[in-house]
Amino acid sequence: MKFDLSQTEENYLKAIYSLFVVSNKAVSTNKIAEKLATKASSVTDMVKKLSEKELVNYVKYQGVSLTENGREIAIHVIRKHRLWEVFLVRHLGFQWDEVHEVAEQLEHVKSVKLTNSLDAFLDFPRYDPHGDPIPDKEGNFAKRDVAVLSSLKIGQESKIVGIKDSSSEFLKYLDKVEIKLGAAIKVLHKESFDNSMMLWIDKKQISISQQIASNLYVKQQD
Amino acid sequence: MKFDLSQTEENYLKAIYSLFVVSNKAVSTNKIAEKLATKASSVTDMVKKLSEKELVNYVKYQGVSLTENGREIAIHVIRKHRLWEVFLVRHLGFQWDEVHEVAEQLEHVKSVKLTNSLDAFLDFPRYDPHGDPIPDKEGNFAKRDVAVLSSLKIGQESKIVGIKDSSSEFLKYLDKVEIKLGAAIKVLHKESFDNSMMLWIDKKQISISQQIASNLYVKQQD
DNA sequence: AATTTTTTTTAGACAAGTCTAAAAAAAATA
DNA sequence: TATTTTTTTTAGACTTGTCTAAAAAAAATT
Ligand SMILES: [Mn+2]
Ligand SMILES: [Mn+2]
Ligand SMILES: [Mn+2]
Ligand SMILES: [Mn+2]
């Protein structure tokens, strides 16, 4: 039950986890290859290995899903990734678009004490700098009810709570137009021909394209 | 000049560096193998590779030394190792005997910004929890004049400034007998038959064996 | 249903790092 | 100096993770 996995194996588990979360069905070889910037044949090899270790369910030609063990490990790696991101932003002066690459390395450091002490040091943060929830020691984390900003109707008010595409470019764009997590918003207008939106964000009025709006998560209205 | 080395390569450079520092002459294949808990044949292979990259000087049968580039990299890895040790002890509640293994992993995380921000966050510490000096951004660090405690004569006073053997067992022993870095000491007596020493440490009188005394660094007297 | 296209797997190769066993060189001893 | 012992290197093999090219299976089109 307690393996010592390589960084590569951990990265595969994480990739499978995050792909599964969006589609909610067995993940294809090609999708994994794309996510990890590798080749489908390499994925097949690795998936066989993970299957032997009972970390994934794999049937030839039918995609991959995580076993309970595999899921636990994936979530634990994600926990470390997000905790480190919080540390980098809060204490080392990193911008939110600079943390991912470094967290990608730090997430593989193996020490239960390190992870849990870091969690305590940070005062048990619930969300990372991009609004993604941080699993606790037991692997539990809030499944937030979020909607994409682009789905809001005219007149609706909400709050920005997360970023879907956390690429450096997108994050820098958000900085430039001063869109921050936690900002209160109100939809003023939607252009029907391109679905761009005019909105109030905090005290400012701004227009954003559909592309942008569909990469921002807002608090789900009840 | 700016390679991206594997963790293994970095560990070899560090090992060669530290072996060179004690003997001040070309390091033997066997010594490296012992230090890294591997086999001499593996060392030969790796040393050839590092030599191709011009990180070590290597002549068959004549041992290994670091080139200027190799030395810089080794020192940079040591810098990271020691900074992380400080972080773990100061901020995450680690004991000084628990940090080495984790720092051994953290030292390989690649991010100049991370290293330098951590350094600043820690307020540019000059020594790690074991009294080892921390190289600055440029790789400079004080070459301290230290002596081993066992070399002190009766009546001499000094201060404990470093630990030679930082094994967990030894560090735990020091905790048990309450020997701390920075402690003021005075040699009261030396048994001639076993070279054990009776000393004042802070306000306590204690007797330690030669073995212990030769693993403690004290401030060099002028 | 037959054919074409796409996806996935297999086969075989390679690089990194390691090992054991054997050969070669160096060092120590007689 | 000759012989023995120790150290170091080479040869060949193995593991992990990767790749390309080809084969097989599944899915999409006609
Ligand atoms: Mn990673
Ligand atoms: Mn994040
Ligand atoms: Mn290391
Ligand atoms: Mn140390």
Side-chain angles (χ1 to χ4, degrees):
Chain A
M1 217 139 190
K2 269 273 117 86
F3 296 104
D4 217 10
L5 299 184
S6 69
Q7 300 199 178
T8 309
E9 290 171 313
E10 289 186 345
N11 285 338
Y12 270 89
L13 293 179
K14 227 178 32 147
I16 294 164
Y17 176 85
S18 70
L19 290 169
F20 188 89
V21 163
V22 302
S23 73
N24 232 53
K25 54 176 201 267
V27 177
S28 80
T29 306
N30 258 1
K31 282 270 159 51
I32 300 170
E34 191 189 358
K35 182 123 199 165
L36 294 174
T38 183
K39 294 297 150 75
S41 56
S42 306
V43 173
T44 302
D45 288 346
M46 177 56 86
V47 152
K48 279 181 183 166
K49 215 178 80 179
L50 294 173
S51 174
E52 301 250 303
K53 296 190 181 183
E54 300 190 64
L55 298 171
V56 304
N57 308 113
Y58 169 60
V59 183
K60 259 195 210 179
Y61 295 104
Q62 279 171 232
V64 193
S65 63
L66 296 178
T67 62
E68 191 45 39
N69 274 346
R71 207 185 98 95
E72 267 172 35
I73 295 171
I75 287 175
H76 185 238
V77 176
I78 288 169
R79 166 170 159 80
K80 290 190 280 179
H81 184 106
R82 293 179 182 167
L83 284 174
W84 280 116
E85 287 190 342
V86 172
F87 174 70
L88 295 174
V89 167
R90 288 225 288 240
H91 297 284
L92 297 194
F94 277 64
Q95 300 299 308
W96 68 347
D97 62 294
E98 299 176 309
V99 296
H100 187 75
E101 196 192 350
V102 182
E104 205 56 48
Q105 301 176 62
L106 287 164
E107 72 188 2
H108 302 293
V109 174
K110 276 158 189 88
S111 163
V112 173
K113 172 154 188 165
L114 173 61
T115 308
N116 294 335
S117 306
L118 180 63
D119 197 11
F121 173 76
L122 298 171
D123 213 14
F124 307 100
R126 317 253 316 282
Y127 299 99
D128 84 1
H130 313 104
D132 292 312
I134 301 178
D136 70 14
K137 213 193 307 204
E138 273 72 42
N140 305 316
F141 57 105
K143 189 173 277 153
R144 294 178 306 161
D145 270 333
V146 293
V148 283
L149 171 51
S150 54
S151 70
L152 291 193
K153 311 267 173 275
I154 294 174
Q156 281 195 291
E157 302 186 29
S158 189
K159 211 170 94 172
I160 296 185
V161 295
I163 318 290
K164 190 172 179 181
D165 158 28
S166 282
S167 72
S168 184
E169 303 75 53
F170 185 54
L171 295 173
K172 279 198 179 111
Y173 166 83
L174 295 178
D175 280 341
K176 201 174 63 193
V177 300
E178 296 184 83
I179 294 178
K180 295 189 187 64
L181 284 191
I185 56 158
K186 179 174 183 178
V187 180
L188 299 175
H189 183 67
K190 278 178 106 166
E191 282 298 342
S192 50
F193 69 95
D194 70 348
N195 286 306
S196 70
M197 294 172 123
M198 179 66 75
L199 21 101
W200 277 114
I201 293 198
D202 285 335
K203 259 99 229 183
K204 276 194 284 289
Q205 211 178 106
I206 141 173
S207 161
I208 61 174
S209 69
Q210 218 248 287
Q211 240 236 289
I212 304 295
S214 57
N215 273 320
L216 290 171
Y217 291 127
V218 295
K219 209 176 151 201
Q220 178 75 278
Q221 313 283 298
D222 340 80
Chain B
M1 217 138 188
K2 267 272 117 84
F3 296 105
D4 215 11
L5 299 184
S6 69
Q7 300 198 179
T8 309
E9 290 171 315
E10 288 186 345
N11 284 338
Y12 270 90
L13 292 179
K14 227 177 32 144
I16 295 163
Y17 176 85
S18 69
L19 290 169
F20 188 89
V21 164
V22 302
S23 72
N24 233 54
K25 55 175 201 267
V27 176
S28 79
T29 305
N30 258 0
K31 281 270 158 54
I32 300 170
E34 191 189 358
K35 182 126 200 163
L36 294 175
T38 183
K39 294 296 150 79
S41 56
S42 307
V43 173
T44 302
D45 288 345
M46 177 57 86
V47 153
K48 278 180 184 167
K49 216 178 78 181
L50 294 172
S51 174
E52 300 251 305
K53 296 189 180 182
E54 299 190 63
L55 299 171
V56 303
N57 308 114
Y58 170 60
V59 183
K60 260 196 209 177
Y61 295 105
Q62 278 169 235
V64 192
S65 62
L66 295 178
T67 62
E68 192 44 40
N69 274 346
R71 207 185 98 94
E72 267 172 34
I73 294 172
I75 287 176
H76 185 239
V77 176
I78 289 169
R79 166 169 158 81
K80 290 189 281 179
H81 184 108
R82 293 180 183 167
L83 284 173
W84 280 115
E85 287 189 342
V86 172
F87 173 71
L88 295 174
V89 167
R90 288 226 287 240
H91 296 284
L92 297 193
F94 278 64
Q95 300 299 309
W96 68 347
D97 62 294
E98 300 176 308
V99 296
H100 186 75
E101 196 192 351
V102 183
E104 206 55 49
Q105 300 177 63
L106 287 163
E107 71 188 1
H108 302 294
V109 174
K110 274 154 189 93
S111 163
V112 174
K113 172 154 188 164
L114 173 61
T115 308
N116 294 335
S117 305
L118 180 64
D119 196 12
F121 174 76
L122 298 171
D123 214 13
F124 307 101
R126 316 251 318 282
Y127 298 100
D128 84 359
H130 314 104
D132 292 312
I134 302 178
D136 71 14
K137 215 192 306 204
E138 273 72 41
N140 306 114
F141 57 104
K143 190 173 276 153
R144 293 178 305 162
D145 270 331
V146 294
V148 282
L149 172 50
S150 53
S151 71
L152 291 193
K153 311 270 172 271
I154 294 174
Q156 281 195 291
E157 301 185 29
S158 189
K159 212 171 95 171
I160 297 184
V161 295
I163 318 291
K164 190 171 178 183
D165 159 27
S166 282
S167 71
S168 183
E169 304 74 52
F170 185 54
L171 295 173
K172 280 198 179 112
Y173 166 84
L174 295 178
D175 281 339
K176 201 174 63 192
V177 300
E178 297 183 81
I179 294 179
K180 296 189 188 63
L181 284 192
I185 56 158
K186 179 174 184 180
V187 181
L188 298 175
H189 184 68
K190 279 178 105 167
E191 282 298 341
S192 50
F193 69 96
D194 70 348
N195 285 307
S196 69
M197 294 173 123
M198 179 66 74
L199 19 102
W200 278 114
I201 293 198
D202 285 336
K203 259 99 229 181
K204 277 194 283 290
Q205 210 178 110
I206 142 174
S207 160
I208 61 174
S209 68
Q210 218 248 285
Q211 240 236 288
I212 304 296
S214 58
N215 273 320
L216 290 171
Y217 291 126
V218 294
K219 209 174 150 203
Q220 179 75 276
Q221 313 283 299
D222 342 80

